[in-house]
Amino acid sequence: MIKDFREFDDGACITADVCIIGAGAAGITLAKEFLGSHFKVLVLESGGLDNEVAIQKLNESEVVGLPHAGVERGRFRAFGGSTIAWGGQTLRLRAFDFTKRSWVPNSGWPITLRDIEPYYDRAERVLQLGPNLSYEDLCARAGINPVVFDSAKLNVECSRWSPSPNFGTTYRKELREAKNISVILHANVTQITTNQTAKTVEGLDIRSLAGKIGTAKARFYIICCGGIETARLLLASDRTEQHGVGNEYDLVGRYFQDHVHIWYDDIVAKDRKQLQNSYESFFIRGRKYAPLIALGERLQAEKQLLRMHGTVIFWMEADSSVAALKTLFRAARGRTLPPFNETRHLLGNALANPGELLGIMYRYCIQKRAGTPRRGRVYLAALSEMAPNPNSRITLSDARDQLGMRRCRIDWRPGELERRTASEYIRTIASEFSRLEVGSYDLKQVAGLEDKTSWVQMATDNSHHMGTTRMHESDKFGVVDPNCRVHGIDNLYIGSSAVFPNSGSAYPTLTILALCIRVADRVKELLTTDRPPDLRSEQLLMAWGDGGGGARGKDAGY
């Protein structure tokens, strides 16, 4: 069921076996794991079914470190969360990413790739990804001989793209029809309430923008609010513990990470056809695979670098035939054609160069590759891992939002290790492209990377918010344990990239979902073996048993 908190009576108390805070990719994936079970699941979402300006204002934050656009623009309060604006690109972490590296302070996970691999498989089904094919397999299928780097320095891996990345539309019907799951929209959680010893969560305070209040009570609570809001909610929940829930050792909000994005301009293509054959995206049964040029693990160890990868971009001018054709194709596929005059203009541009148009169509339809222009500029868009830094952090501002909660203050601090990695990465690319005679790069374009102070002007954030409730075996070094349970609290879990101790350079969504499915399995096991009598499913009141109307009375077991 999907209902709206604004329809509830003021002061309503909603009860369930499991309460999930947030209906983004993480919260929806967790809820789906309980579909058809006898457990009652409540999902509380701050926003509505669509993006709403008034709700988005709750994301307004204070930025005290480097500029960080994603603290506001990269977060969405709506059913589907940030997936409503997500392209769908995914990548698994590698075994190397889970290891402790002596040159990366605070690195290493308390779990291994082997622990999470079965959950990656299940998460990939949620995302409807194609098979996990290697770059070499994709090249062999396409019948091409790709550029072959010195494997100690560089390698190529492929990201996979979800064909249905918007969870808000993809899974709306399934959750609307679910008998044991209730999604409550416009239900902003403003406080996590614990018992006097702060060892057990007893409930959540809920508030709407209009001022309506309520509470939610469950056996288990799972926070799925992303790497920024998760930390903010824990810090703001100071009714019992002065410094917030789960924050005995002042760790909540620390180690904030975001992938550092660097745009490398103007690669000179000596063999453009070979570059396009090697680095254009592949399509297998409609599923997209995008090649990424990554730093080799041996080079990372030898030169003490972070993980970094980049995508070769064959730039399309806005008025080119290729750009017009791709715009029309995406619009037609999404059934959102632009106004007539704009459509006519795009058709004119698409047909202005028939030869190129036919070439692009042949490339995509027959060769199953992304069509890119035969001429034009070539760039490299790269992402660097960020080293975990306790001084890069989320705290609370003195300013308050419309709900009365203290706003977020963000201090994002990429440093010297990120600078050296970004510099060494492009130097290695330039060297290998020159050796293989496929391209060249004038390093004067990135001279700024050699300046230890001003290099950050080349860096931007990437809306991948991670690390603020990091995973560790010890509560003195992490907020959650290896099962994503908040240390010292028996019924509070976190399903978010907030738990990442370090991030690698992989896009985080796939790993988030894998961890959430792992949490779901753990909570189901605990519910089965240790269910307290006052919250047994059969005792929950079903206020909406007939599927209509708002909650009646002060206690609603939905």
Side-chain angles (χ1 to χ4, degrees):
M1 292 179 282
I2 298 178
K3 296 291 181 179
D4 197 311
F5 183 61
R6 296 175 300 186
E7 300 171 3
F8 280 65
D9 291 338
D10 199 34
C13 178
I14 315 168
T15 58
D17 290 306
V18 179
C19 181
I20 299 167
I21 307 172
I28 289 174
T29 297
L30 263 160
K32 277 172 53 60
E33 289 298 307
F34 289 89
L35 278 169
S37 72
H38 59 276
F39 302 119
K40 303 300 179 183
V41 177
L42 175 66
V43 183
L44 300 175
E45 169 53 45
S46 171
L49 291 177
D50 302 303
N51 198 17
E52 301 170 18
V53 174
I55 293 289
Q56 280 297 108
K57 287 184 179 296
L58 295 174
N59 287 339
E60 291 178 355
S61 303
E62 179 183 351
V63 178
V64 297
L66 293 176
H68 195 284
V71 69
E72 294 182 16
R73 290 188 225 158
R75 299 189 292 150
F76 294 85
R77 292 172 179 261
F79 183 70
S82 297
T83 69
I84 67 175
W86 180 47
Q89 189 166 201
T90 73
L91 188 67
R92 289 188 179 199
L93 290 172
R94 293 190 168 198
F96 185 73
D97 297 316
F98 290 88
T99 62
K100 181 174 179 58
R101 290 161 283 169
S102 60
W103 64 94
V104 182
N106 306 300
S107 61
W109 290 57
I111 61 175
T112 66
L113 176 61
R114 182 174 295 180
D115 294 321
I116 200 174
E117 267 184 326
Y119 302 100
Y120 269 141
D121 293 339
R122 290 164 64 181
E124 286 165 3
R125 290 195 289 273
V126 174
L127 289 161
Q128 303 171 42
L129 301 181
N132 191 14
L133 301 174
S134 70
Y135 176 66
E136 291 73 20
D137 287 340
L138 290 164
C139 289
R141 282 171 173 247
I144 62 170
N145 294 314
V147 172
V148 179
F149 296 119
D150 178 342
S151 61
K153 297 178 179 179
L154 297 170
N155 60 71
V156 181
E157 55 191 353
C158 280
S159 63
R160 287 177 287 166
W161 294 63
S162 171
S164 304
N166 185 342
F167 277 48
T169 54
T170 301
Y171 293 113
R172 183 180 302 180
K173 183 174 184 290
E174 191 172 14
L175 291 185
R176 191 189 297 277
E177 295 176 354
K179 301 295 185 183
N180 66 315
I181 297 171
S182 186
V183 177
I184 311 298
L185 305 173
H186 299 110
N188 299 279
V189 177
T190 58
Q191 183 83 203
I192 300 169
T193 303
T194 67
N195 62 0
Q196 288 303 306
T197 60
K199 301 299 183 186
T200 302
V201 174
E202 294 187 335
L204 306 174
D205 289 358
I206 310 169
R207 182 178 291 270
S208 74
L209 280 181
K212 183 172 288 186
I213 62 172
T215 56
K217 293 183 179 293
R219 173 65 182 94
F220 289 95
Y221 302 83
I222 309 170
I223 307 174
C224 299
C225 299
I228 293 175
E229 194 67 16
T230 293
R232 180 193 180 210
L233 178 58
L234 290 172
L235 291 170
S237 298
D238 56 1
R239 191 173 292 159
T240 303
E241 293 288 323
Q242 179 182 357
H243 301 295
V245 169
N247 198 31
E248 182 178 0
Y249 294 99
D250 188 30
L251 292 172
V252 173
R254 292 189 182 272
Y255 301 97
F256 173 68
Q257 298 155 60
D258 196 337
H259 288 132
V260 180
H261 185 274
I262 305 285
W263 186 268
Y264 299 104
D265 291 332
D266 292 329
I267 294 172
V268 177
K270 293 182 179 179
D271 188 343
R272 187 182 184 93
K273 184 176 180 181
Q274 177 69 316
L275 284 176
Q276 288 175 308
N277 275 337
S278 297
Y279 305 123
E280 280 185 345
S281 294
F282 299 84
F283 290 87
I284 305 293
R285 295 175 184 168
R287 301 300 196 265
K288 180 179 176 180
Y289 297 75
L292 307 169
I293 304 175
L295 279 175
E297 292 175 6
R298 188 186 304 176
L299 185 69
Q300 291 176 60
E302 288 176 355
K303 299 206 171 185
Q304 299 194 340
L305 305 172
L306 296 163
R307 288 271 280 156
M308 190 165 189
H309 71 241
T311 304
V312 178
I313 306 292
F314 301 95
W315 189 255
M316 296 180 292
E317 297 300 332
D319 60 352
S320 69
S321 296
V322 179
L325 178 64
K326 289 194 172 185
T327 300
L328 286 169
F329 177 77
R330 293 189 188 107
R333 186 174 59 182
R335 299 179 182 178
T336 55
L337 283 173
F340 175 76
N341 286 340
E342 186 179 344
T343 300
R344 185 172 62 179
H345 178 71
L346 288 169
L347 281 170
N349 282 349
L351 297 172
N353 191 334
E356 185 169 44
L357 179 61
L358 289 172
I360 294 298
M361 293 177 67
Y362 178 80
R363 184 74 163 156
Y364 177 75
C365 297
I366 305 301
Q367 295 182 326
K368 305 301 181 184
R369 302 296 302 276
T372 56
R374 297 172 185 170
R375 295 168 298 279
R377 303 169 75 179
V378 181
Y379 302 105
L380 189 66
L383 292 184
S384 172
E385 175 185 17
M386 183 177 165
N389 175 2
N391 295 318
S392 181
R393 65 186 301 194
I394 303 297
T395 54
L396 297 180
S397 167
D398 291 332
R400 294 184 181 268
D401 67 13
Q402 301 93 311
L403 299 170
M405 290 183 69
R406 292 172 66 186
R407 292 194 181 276
C408 166
R409 176 189 288 127
I410 183 169
D411 187 356
W412 183 49
R413 297 193 187 185
E416 176 61 11
L417 196 47
E418 290 80 9
R419 183 199 67 78
R420 284 201 307 105
T421 299
S423 177
E424 193 61 41
Y425 177 74
I426 192 58
R427 289 178 179 278
T428 306
I429 292 281
S431 173
E432 283 293 279
F433 273 22
S434 178
R435 178 181 69 82
L436 296 165
E437 299 183 341
V438 293
S440 63
Y441 188 81
D442 183 356
L443 292 171
K444 292 178 183 177
Q445 296 180 97
V446 289
L449 287 175
E450 304 312 310
D451 188 315
K452 295 184 179 182
T453 302
S454 65
W455 80 274
V456 293
Q457 296 174 13
M458 296 182 62
T460 56
D461 64 279
N462 213 66
S463 298
H464 296 164
H465 310 138
M466 302 168 283
T468 54
T469 60
R470 69 195 321 257
M471 184 190 296
H472 200 281
E473 299 98 330
S474 169
D475 59 355
K476 294 178 177 61
F477 300 102
V479 176
V480 303
D481 68 14
N483 290 317
C484 296
R485 181 181 64 85
V486 175
H487 281 294
I489 303 179
D490 57 21
N491 64 340
L492 181 61
Y493 288 76
I494 295 176
S496 165
S497 49
V499 307
F500 291 13
N502 53 265
S503 62
S505 58
Y507 309 98
T509 303
L510 179 58
T511 302
I512 294 170
L513 302 197
L515 289 172
C516 284
I517 293 170
R518 190 168 176 261
V519 167
D521 280 2
R522 175 66 175 163
V523 170
K524 280 188 282 187
E525 179 185 359
L526 292 172
L527 282 167
T528 301
T529 58
D530 183 27
R531 290 166 59 204
D534 59 327
L535 283 177
R536 291 185 189 276
S537 296
E538 60 268 21
Q539 293 178 338
L540 296 176
L541 300 175
M542 293 295 292
W544 284 338
D546 62 354
R552 302 290 183 254
K554 299 296 184 183
D555 294 302
Y558 73 85

